[in-house]
């Protein structure tokens, strides 16, 4: 009994440690004042000023969607190539594809800066092109890790049967393999979007001057002491609240759908 109480208490403590700061942020996003800890009355003031950070949100979403789409295509093709490679070559490439996953993001960012400078000369590292390359490099390995397990679960004889029935390798790939691994592709795409939305180090290192995503804009608003930067801090509390609510709604909908599928199978 005591062991059960301690385990429940431990779970509650961990959840409280994670969610109390978020709930505190949500509460003070409705505060009339700018400072946390000083309640000046309930207000939607900061939600009404969300249009001031519209450009930052658009930059973040476009960067995430475009880079995740390209990373998903490249990662899916890479996973298929790794899976069907024969001998030790496929194993070595598979191991190599996992290194960026465990590698420090700082190392990846510095390596990309040196590569872009080497290819294009000094100053070329801070560009939109370099930023997109950085996010693709960051997210593509995670797509590979999401797709390969689905390839292993697939019945390999289906591809061979399609070839025997007259399909070309490309037709067999498109009609047979892709539909079988589509859940892994979708998972990799969503993971790539999440990583891109959340990234700070690569974005701060490679983004051109004047280009901000939510992560870099929030950091600048908190770190800089200028009035122009600090006045947006409460607005980002409101934006963060909306992002959190959307995330919770998506998780609830996905869980409800999965529960319905399980009940229908029973």
């Amino acid at each position: 009994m005591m062991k059960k109480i301690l385990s429940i208490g431990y779970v509650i403590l961990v959840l409280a440690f994670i969610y109390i700061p978020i709930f505190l942020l949500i509460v003070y996003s409705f505060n009339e004042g700018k400072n946390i800890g000083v309640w000046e009355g309930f207000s939607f003031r900061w939600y009404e000023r969300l249009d001031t950070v519209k450009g930052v949100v658009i930059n973040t979403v476009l960067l995430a969607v475009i880079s995740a789409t390209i990373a998903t295509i490249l990662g899916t093709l890479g996973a298929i190539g790794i899976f069907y490679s024969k001998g030790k070559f496929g194993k070595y490439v598979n191991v190599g594809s996992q290194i960026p996953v465990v590698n420090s993001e700082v190392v990846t960012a510095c390596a990309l800066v040196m590569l872009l400078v080497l290819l294009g000369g000094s100053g070329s590292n801070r560009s939109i092109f370099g930023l997109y390359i950085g996010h693709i490099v960051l997210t593509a390995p995670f797509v590979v890790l999401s797709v390969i397990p689905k390839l292993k679960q697939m019945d390999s004889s289906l591809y061979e049967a399609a070839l025997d029935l007259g399909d070309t390798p490309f037709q067999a790939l498109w009609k047979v393999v892709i539909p079988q691994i589509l859940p892994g592709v979708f998972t990799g795409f969503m993971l790539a979007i999440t990583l891109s939305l959340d990234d700070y180090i690569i974005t701060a290192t490679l983004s051109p001057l004047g280009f901000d995503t939510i992560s870099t804009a929030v950091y600048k608003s908190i770190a800089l002491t200028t009035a122009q930067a600090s006045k947006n801090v409460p607005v980002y509390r409101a934006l963060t609240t909306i992002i959190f609510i959307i995330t919770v709604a998506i998780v609830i909908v996905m869980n409800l759908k999965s529960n319905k599928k399980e009940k229908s199978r029973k």
Side-chain angles (χ1 to χ4, degrees):
M1 184 66 180
M2 182 60 66
K3 186 177 180 180
K4 185 177 181 180
I5 294 173
L6 290 175
S7 61
I8 294 174
Y10 176 75
V11 172
I12 293 174
L13 183 64
V14 171
L15 292 176
F17 181 79
I18 294 173
Y19 288 107
I20 284 179
I22 298 176
F23 290 141
L24 184 66
L25 181 146
I26 292 173
V27 170
Y28 277 94
S29 70
F30 296 100
N31 185 19
E32 176 69 25
K34 294 197 300 183
N35 298 322
I36 288 182
V38 181
W39 184 259
E40 299 181 18
F42 185 87
S43 173
F44 288 100
R45 173 186 177 186
W46 308 117
Y47 290 88
E48 294 171 355
R49 293 182 54 187
L50 283 171
D51 60 324
T52 60
V53 296
K54 181 173 63 175
V56 172
V57 175
I58 292 174
N59 289 343
T60 305
V61 173
L62 285 178
L63 176 61
V65 172
I66 294 174
S67 62
T69 301
I70 298 174
T72 301
I73 295 171
L74 296 177
T76 302
L77 294 176
I80 293 172
I82 290 170
F83 180 76
Y84 285 105
S85 295
K86 297 180 180 179
K88 295 183 178 180
F89 177 76
K91 295 181 179 179
Y92 291 148
V93 176
N94 188 22
V95 172
S97 67
Q98 298 176 20
I99 293 176
V101 176
V102 297
N103 191 29
S104 173
E105 222 174 296
V106 176
V107 176
T108 302
C110 292
L112 286 170
V113 168
M114 290 187 289
L115 176 62
L116 292 172
V117 169
L118 181 64
L119 294 177
S122 60
S124 64
N125 56 299
R126 301 190 70 88
S127 65
I128 291 293
F129 175 76
L131 179 60
Y132 275 87
I133 292 296
H135 276 246
I136 293 168
V137 170
L138 171 69
T139 56
F142 291 90
V143 178
V144 174
L145 287 181
S146 300
V147 174
I148 284 182
K150 291 298 179 182
L151 287 166
K152 292 180 178 179
Q153 295 172 9
M154 184 186 68
D155 187 356
S156 59
S157 62
L158 293 176
Y159 177 76
E160 296 173 359
L163 294 177
D164 292 339
L165 291 172
D167 281 345
T168 64
F170 177 77
Q171 289 174 330
L173 177 66
W174 183 253
K175 294 179 180 179
V176 177
V177 177
I178 297 298
Q180 293 289 321
I181 64 173
L182 201 57
V185 175
F186 178 74
T187 300
F189 176 72
M190 295 304 298
L191 185 58
I193 283 186
T194 303
L195 290 168
S196 180
L197 291 172
D198 188 56
D199 177 73
Y200 170 77
I201 295 176
I202 289 179
T203 305
T205 305
L206 298 175
S207 61
L209 297 177
F211 184 93
D212 279 316
T213 61
I214 294 175
S215 59
T216 58
V218 169
Y219 175 80
K220 289 179 181 178
S221 296
I222 296 174
L224 299 179
T225 57
T226 60
Q228 180 66 25
S230 61
K231 73 178 184 180
N232 283 332
V233 172
V235 181
Y236 287 119
R237 291 188 202 129
L239 178 61
T240 304
T241 300
I242 293 174
I243 293 173
F244 178 75
I245 292 173
I246 292 173
T247 303
V248 171
I250 292 173
V251 171
I252 291 174
V253 170
M254 291 179 66
N255 285 332
L256 290 175
K257 286 185 176 180
S258 63
N259 290 335
K260 286 183 179 180
K261 288 182 180 180
E262 289 179 1
K263 289 181 180 179
S264 63
R265 289 175 182 175
K266 293 179 180 179

